[in-house]
Amino acid sequence: MRHRRRNIQRIVRLAAVGGLVCGGLMVSSAMASEPSAPGTYANGMSQAADPVAGLVTRLGASRTAGSWTGADGRPVVAVTDEDAAAEVRDAGARAEVVRYSMRRLRDAAATLGAAPRVAGTAWAVDYASNRVMVHADSTVSTADWSRMSDVAEDIGESVHMERTTGTFTTRVNGAVPIFSPTGRCSAGFNVTDGRNTFILTAGHCGPVGTSWFRDRQGAELVGTTTAGSFPGNDFSLVRYETGDSVDRTNVVDIGDGRQVQIIGAADPAVGQRVFRSGSTSGFRSGKVTAVNATVNYPEGTVTGLIETTVCAESGDSGGPLFSEGLALGVTSGGSGDCTTGGVTFFQPATKAMEALGVRLAAGAPASGANGAGGPADTAPSAAAGAVPPGSPGSSGSADGLRRVTGIVDFDYFGSLGPGLVVIGASLAGLLGARWILSAQERREFRSFSLASWG
């Protein structure tokens, strides 16, 4: 009887140990699949650069046609010949031989840009399909569609035209709302020129001189727009009126009292998972589908934008786009909504900061930024998307502030889940086997004692 019981215990232990090993492998695999974005941290150190970036630069625009992150997290490079493909594979990336080079695709985009402007259209180089994708929203007339189609036909098969639902509009409002006499936008990220602290937000939110408030009634002044660019670009600076009434950190509110600390800035990669926060549609995720996109809003043309699948709605403009604690951009506009989906465009944060001569508050300078220099800003700075001090969830409240240096979407936690469940069950099995053995040993000891002492 005792021999059979110990065999059962031995089997339970072996099964539990095997479960721990399998669960650990599952979790390791899930963690290894999470891509990271190159960028600059607050301490000035750079993340590991894309291992194929130097190779793409060396091969040039005539032999390559863009790179992106594949579904498995590996870099993919489009090339125009087999010799270039071999070099890409030797560098550890996946190669795809395509018909059109980046030079050819850029020439096609330039031809589209030189044609008469049609409001409600947008285009960007789609690396995966090796074409310039032209989108036209519901406001584009049949005549304008025909005219654009003629231009595309003259360029050739490197251009693909398609209709899209909704309309391309700028998205006013956002993550933590700021109000002007004419509308509402949101704080994107906190930046500094070494002397003053500003909110980096969308340029279409308001011209220079616009006053911004924390409330619709205009009782609490936040600051005034001192610089900006729209159309052409879509960024602006709102200088804080005072520095003593705002949080000292640079964080983004993602809802439910949670916040993500921003530690640097970066340019996104095509295929990268990204996140956006806005007061209308909340915290959302998606992927980068193109960079250097052009959008013809009714107000004018904006170039150099980030194109994504992250949904947005009216009220999300100026809000932050980020990944792994890195500032990527501010919400510009798009089509559709978070029910039917659509495409959303963002002004790159690094480009805006470089043009404005600022850097992230309490962070490292953007690549190429020509800020005033000097030590990091030590004056209190507003948290991008942070709640006011003293309110629930702020750093000055009893509830505290949840900060993280990186964030992944819920699919990531879902991929970790099975492995964690296996580990938990295995640990429970080990503890159970130990408890059963201990209880049995105690019973046998009592029986022996009673038999020995009569």
Side-chain angles (χ1 to χ4, degrees):
M1 184 73 177
R2 179 182 298 177
H3 178 70
R4 184 175 63 183
R5 184 169 59 250
R6 290 191 177 276
N7 281 340
I8 293 174
Q9 291 164 351
R10 187 177 295 109
I11 292 172
V12 170
R13 286 174 175 170
L14 290 173
V17 171
L20 286 173
V21 173
C22 291
L25 291 174
M26 292 169 70
V27 170
S28 298
S29 176
M31 294 179 70
S33 67
E34 174 64 14
S36 59
T40 303
Y41 289 120
N43 61 8
M45 297 293 290
S46 295
Q47 285 183 280
D50 185 341
V52 300
L55 175 61
V56 170
T57 301
R58 182 170 59 80
L59 290 174
S62 296
R63 300 183 67 195
T64 62
S67 61
W68 62 95
T69 302
D72 58 357
R74 288 183 61 196
V76 183
V77 181
V79 295
T80 58
D81 61 80
E82 286 295 341
D83 289 340
E87 293 190 53
V88 168
R89 296 186 190 102
D90 290 342
R94 195 163 67 247
E96 286 195 11
V97 179
V98 297
R99 179 179 179 183
Y100 303 110
S101 69
M102 179 57 69
R103 188 184 305 278
R104 179 83 173 270
L105 296 174
R106 287 173 179 169
D107 288 343
T111 302
L112 290 168
R117 193 181 83 89
V118 177
T121 59
W123 57 79
V125 175
D126 186 327
Y127 298 156
S129 68
N130 192 229
R131 294 183 295 186
V132 177
M133 300 295 293
V134 180
H135 303 280
D137 68 18
S138 58
T139 67
V140 176
S141 66
T142 302
D144 285 338
W145 172 263
S146 178
R147 187 164 63 251
M148 287 288 292
S149 297
D150 289 341
V151 175
E153 186 175 351
D154 290 340
I155 296 172
E157 296 181 0
S158 61
V159 176
H160 177 73
M161 299 272 295
E162 66 177 27
R163 286 278 191 174
T164 186
T165 58
T167 60
F168 290 124
T169 58
T170 50
R171 305 297 199 183
V172 181
N173 306 343
V176 168
I178 51 176
F179 302 88
S180 74
T182 58
R184 183 169 69 128
C185 270
S186 69
F189 300 102
N190 295 314
V191 295
T192 178
D193 62 0
R195 299 179 298 275
N196 299 301
T197 306
F198 308 84
I199 298 171
L200 176 65
T201 189
H204 69 262
C205 288
V208 172
T210 301
S211 297
W212 295 95
F213 304 87
R214 291 183 180 271
D215 58 319
R216 293 182 183 275
Q217 294 72 34
E220 188 176 356
L221 179 66
V222 174
T224 304
T225 300
T226 59
S229 177
F230 179 80
N233 300 295
D234 196 1
F235 54 74
S236 66
L237 290 178
V238 176
R239 185 177 63 196
Y240 283 105
E241 197 68 19
T242 59
D244 56 355
S245 61
V246 293
D247 196 279
R248 291 177 180 270
T249 56
N250 206 337
V251 299
V252 171
D253 184 8
I254 61 173
D256 298 327
R258 298 175 300 162
Q259 295 174 323
V260 174
Q261 186 173 3
I262 300 302
I263 59 174
D267 292 319
V270 174
Q272 180 183 352
R273 176 71 70 176
V274 291
F275 306 87
R276 179 197 58 74
S277 189
S279 63
T280 299
S281 56
F283 177 57
R284 302 283 177 165
S285 68
K287 289 186 176 181
V288 175
T289 52
V291 294
N292 199 29
T294 296
V295 184
N296 291 301
Y297 294 125
E299 300 90 342
T301 301
V302 180
T303 61
L305 298 178
I306 304 165
E307 181 185 289
T308 76
T309 62
V310 186
C311 70
E313 299 181 359
S314 180
D316 289 330
S317 213
L321 179 75
F322 58 95
S323 180
E324 296 294 327
L326 298 174
L328 301 178
V330 293
T331 308
S332 175
S335 66
D337 54 39
C338 290
T339 300
T340 61
V343 60
T344 304
F345 300 95
F346 298 84
Q347 166 69 52
T350 54
K351 180 181 177 181
M353 289 190 288
E354 181 179 358
L356 293 165
V358 295
R359 63 179 185 271
L360 286 172
S367 176
N370 57 350
D377 181 62
T378 56
S381 60
V387 291
S391 61
S394 74
S395 58
S397 69
D399 295 335
L401 173 67
R402 176 184 176 184
R403 291 190 179 90
V404 294
T405 57
I407 187 162
V408 296
D409 64 352
F410 301 114
D411 290 338
Y412 177 59
F413 289 105
S415 65
L416 285 178
L420 295 177
V421 169
V422 172
I423 291 175
S426 301
L427 289 173
L430 282 175
L431 293 174
R434 178 60 184 165
W435 181 84
I436 291 171
L437 179 60
S438 298
Q440 186 61 36
E441 287 175 344
R442 287 195 297 271
R443 286 195 297 270
E444 291 178 351
F445 179 75
R446 285 197 297 271
S447 298
F448 173 77
S449 299
L450 289 174
S452 300
W453 293 96

